[in-house]
Structures are given as structure tokens and as C-alpha cells.
Amino acid sequence: MKMINRYILNEAKMPIFFGISLFTFIFLIEIIVSMLESIIVKGISIIDVSRMISFYLPMILSQTIPMGIFLGVMVTFGNLTKYSEIIAINSIGISLKNLLKLVSLIGIMGTMFIFFLQESIIPRSYVKLQQLSIKMVYNNPVFQLKDKVLIDEVDKYKIYIDEIDPKTKDAKNVLIFFKDNTKYPTLITGERTYWENAAMILENSKFYRFKDDGEEQLRGEFKEKKIPLTDYFKDVEIKMKDIEGMGVRTLYQEYSTREKEEKLPYLVEINRKIAVPISAIILSILGVLLSVGNKRSGKGTNYGVAIGIIFIYIVFLNLGMVFSYRGLISPFLGVWFSNIFLMILTYSLYRKKGKVI
């Protein structure tokens, strides 16, 4: 029995790894395309892009591990069935029930690993992602600026950007309103502006100061004027606002402190962070039941069936969450409906296959 278990586990390693990698890559495609745009258009370094992708990875893995286990199990047991190895295994007294116990251990391991990611790795990755984003803004503020934009988030200034040069990333025709507690703020202009060490450098700059009645009081010119933006960044505190980056324990703590009308999103997310890992156990068992006893099923068929069921699962999960957020159904039913669907399908297949195998 132990030798057979080792053999099956050894056969399942690569298909499961391939399945997780495949679904993870699919989920990463949109992020990768966005990051490539950032490299080409916005001038972000490849190193920073790679780090951002690495911080996204734990969040994606928490969703793709159940899918990858499902696909890997289907491919493994599809091959065992195709080459009649399942018949040989049954002939030595190993029943379908024994095989399901073995595979459910794989699902349990996947579930425990996802809980570990959610409680330990993902919150840290989320904070690191925010820190890296702020660092990129600090080192290269221009990456988030566009033509005809007024920025009112800097402590002492309002900044209007008329045009950004697509090649040099320099700004043209910049207006800066200095917030100096007067009725008419001091106006600073610059023909060309570039960024250096978290400061705006204005070339051919002029400034205008006004009296309380709006009459011009003073004007001057500078060949170069430096406007420091360090105040905008020095007091930034990282605070996790997106509930997707929180662990179940943190979500529950936040849920306990919220008003009744604010609790719903936290309750939905708590259920999701429990239901998705549990689905790894259900999907691992379902993968066996869909594969054994069907000799005509090849890898292509297994891939198609696996992707189809995963698609249905994702649709049910997302629809349930949308209905839950809108208050149309309870968060428990909305989030867990997809798992209930998988359990019903698994049980019906077990009743059917258990009589034959």
C-alpha cells in the first residue's frame, strides 16, 4: 500500500505543478501586460516590475492552487486509467475509497498552505507592494502624471501640468499655486520641468505675488527654480485598506469594530478566504472521480473538463459574491454555493463510480 501511495504521489507531482503554474500564468497575464506597459511607457525599471509581480504572486497562488491540484489529479488518474494501472491497483485490494483518502491528503496539504499564505505571506506582500508603489512615486513622480492634470495632493502646492513630453517625460508649461494662507496664492510658472531626487526643477521660471485686493505686488524670474516634494512623501504611513490583503484573523477584528452597514464586505471576504482553500480538498477528490473508469479520456479531454468545471466554479463564486455584496442573499450562501455545487457533483459521482470500481 505504501509503495503504491508513493508511486501515485510521484506521478502526481509534475502534473499538479504544471496545473498550478498554468492557472497562475493565466491569472498573471493581465498584470504582466500592465507591467510591460509601465516599463515601455512610464519608465519603471524591470527590477521594480519583477518585484511587484513577486508580491502579487502569493495572492494569485491562493486562488490557483485548488485549480492546479484539480487539473494535476485529473491528468494523473487519467493516465493511470488509460494504461490500465487502476485495474492493477484494484486487483491487489486497493479500493476507490483508499485512493480518495490518499488524494484528499493532497487537497488538505494544499488547503493548509493556502491558509498559511493568507495569514502570513499575503498581508506582508500586500504591504510590500504598497511600499514599492510609494517608492516608485517618490523616485519618479512623473509616471503617474498626465497631460492637462491638476494635482492637489501635495502639502503646500497645487500643480497644473499642461503637457508631458512622451520621449523625455519632462513637463511643459507648468503652473504651481503656492498655498501660503493668502487670498490670492503665489503663482509660479515654468516653461520646462523635470524631476530629480523628489523635487521639481523648473527652467525659465517666473513667480507672481498678489495683494489681498488682487493687484500684483511682486514678480520675478529664475533661470532655474527647485520645488521640493519631500513633504508629500515623508509622512506617508502604510495602512492596509484593501480587504483582499488581510488575513481571516485581521478581517474578523475589523469586522467586530465596524458599524452594521460596514460589516458586509468583511463578512463576504471572511467566507471567501475559508471557502476557496476548502475547495482544494473537494476538487482533488472530484478530479479522481472524473478520471477513473473512463479509458477514452486523454489529456486533452481532461484539460477541457477541468477548465470547464473551473470556469463554472469561478462564475458561481463571483456571482455569489456580487449578490452577497448587494445584500440579495446571505454572504454564507453566496460564497459557499460554488463549493456546495462541487460537493453535490462529487457525491453523485462517488455513488456512481463506487458501484463499479
Side-chain angles (χ1 to χ4, degrees):
M1 180 67 182
K2 290 183 179 179
M3 185 172 64
I4 296 297
N5 288 346
R6 283 198 299 268
Y7 174 73
I8 293 174
L9 290 174
N10 188 58
E11 289 293 307
K13 281 191 300 187
M14 288 308 298
I16 290 175
F17 177 78
F18 170 77
I20 294 173
S21 301
L22 175 65
F23 286 112
T24 300
F25 178 73
I26 292 172
F27 276 61
L28 275 173
I29 286 176
E30 183 179 354
I31 297 173
I32 291 173
V33 171
S34 175
M35 293 298 98
L36 288 175
E37 179 186 357
S38 298
I39 295 174
I40 297 170
V41 178
K42 300 175 182 176
I44 300 176
S45 71
I46 296 178
I47 294 175
D48 284 338
V49 169
S50 300
R51 291 183 63 197
M52 289 189 75
I53 292 175
S54 70
F55 294 144
Y56 275 115
L57 197 58
M59 307 177 198
I60 294 173
L61 280 174
S62 67
Q63 302 176 62
T64 59
I65 285 175
M67 305 175 191
I69 290 175
F70 178 52
L71 179 59
V73 167
M74 281 201 67
V75 170
T76 300
F77 281 85
N79 289 336
L80 293 176
T81 299
K82 182 179 180 180
Y83 298 109
S84 301
E85 292 176 273
I86 286 293
I87 297 175
I89 290 172
N90 288 336
S91 67
I92 61 175
I94 299 177
S95 64
L96 177 61
K97 195 172 183 180
N98 297 132
L99 294 176
L100 294 180
K101 285 181 180 179
L102 171 64
V103 173
S104 64
L105 289 176
I106 298 175
I108 290 170
M109 290 173 63
T111 298
M112 297 302 292
F113 184 67
I114 295 171
F115 280 133
F116 169 72
L117 287 177
Q118 291 181 166
E119 295 303 308
S120 181
I121 305 300
I122 291 177
R124 297 177 187 178
S125 295
Y126 194 84
V127 171
K128 292 287 185 182
L129 186 61
Q130 290 180 309
Q131 290 175 335
L132 180 60
S133 300
I134 291 174
K135 170 184 172 291
M136 290 190 296
V137 174
Y138 184 89
N139 291 335
N140 188 17
V142 73
F143 92 92
Q144 64 172 189
L145 301 183
K146 298 179 181 179
D147 297 344
K148 307 292 190 287
V149 168
L150 177 66
I151 302 171
D152 194 20
E153 300 174 355
V154 182
D155 185 34
K156 298 179 180 178
Y157 310 99
K158 285 186 179 180
I159 303 171
Y160 174 76
I161 307 292
D162 183 58
E163 182 182 352
I164 296 288
D165 190 314
K167 294 183 179 179
T168 64
K169 306 298 181 185
D170 294 340
K172 298 179 181 178
N173 302 324
V174 175
L175 296 178
I176 299 178
F177 302 91
F178 183 71
K179 303 174 187 176
D180 51 3
N181 297 321
T182 58
K183 186 175 181 180
Y184 296 96
T186 300
L187 176 63
I188 304 172
T189 67
E191 290 183 7
R192 173 179 171 270
T193 304
Y194 60 94
W195 281 259
E196 184 178 86
N197 297 326
M200 297 178 68
I201 312 298
L202 284 72
E203 293 184 346
N204 299 323
S205 173
K206 298 179 182 179
F207 77 90
Y208 305 87
R209 186 173 295 165
F210 303 93
K211 298 179 181 179
D212 289 341
D213 59 2
E215 183 182 349
E216 183 180 305
Q217 181 182 21
L218 183 66
R219 72 164 59 189
E221 296 184 6
F222 298 95
K223 186 176 181 181
E224 186 177 279
K225 173 69 174 176
K226 183 175 182 180
I227 306 293
L229 302 180
T230 51
D231 288 343
Y232 177 49
F233 301 103
K234 69 180 182 180
D235 294 326
V236 173
E237 295 181 1
I238 302 299
K239 183 177 180 181
M240 194 176 300
K241 296 179 180 178
D242 193 337
I243 60 177
E244 292 183 4
M246 299 181 186
V248 175
R249 186 181 305 171
T250 306
L251 282 167
Y252 184 76
Q253 291 172 350
E254 291 289 329
Y255 169 82
S256 302
T257 61
R258 300 286 171 172
E259 298 294 332
K260 185 177 180 180
E261 60 274 11
E262 298 177 333
K263 289 187 173 185
L264 185 59
Y266 293 91
L267 192 56
V268 173
E269 190 64 19
I270 289 170
N271 278 278
R272 188 187 74 84
K273 285 186 178 292
I274 298 174
V276 172
I278 295 297
S279 69
I281 303 172
I282 306 169
L283 285 169
S284 63
I285 297 172
L286 181 60
V288 176
L289 296 173
L290 286 170
S291 303
V292 296
N294 188 5
K295 292 186 177 181
R296 294 181 180 180
S297 64
K299 286 186 179 179
T301 304
N302 289 333
Y303 289 156
V305 171
I307 291 173
I309 290 177
I310 290 299
F311 175 78
I312 294 171
Y313 173 78
I314 292 174
V315 169
F316 282 171
L317 178 62
N318 288 333
L319 283 176
M321 291 180 66
V322 169
F323 290 150
S324 298
Y325 279 124
R326 293 183 178 180
L328 299 177
I329 57 177
S330 70
F332 179 84
L333 180 59
V335 175
W336 285 88
F337 178 77
S338 52
N339 279 19
I340 294 170
F341 163 75
L342 291 179
M343 285 189 285
I344 293 172
L345 180 60
T346 301
Y347 179 73
S348 62
L349 281 173
Y350 178 73
R351 291 287 299 272
K352 180 181 178 180
K353 295 289 179 76
K355 297 176 181 177
V356 179
I357 302 173

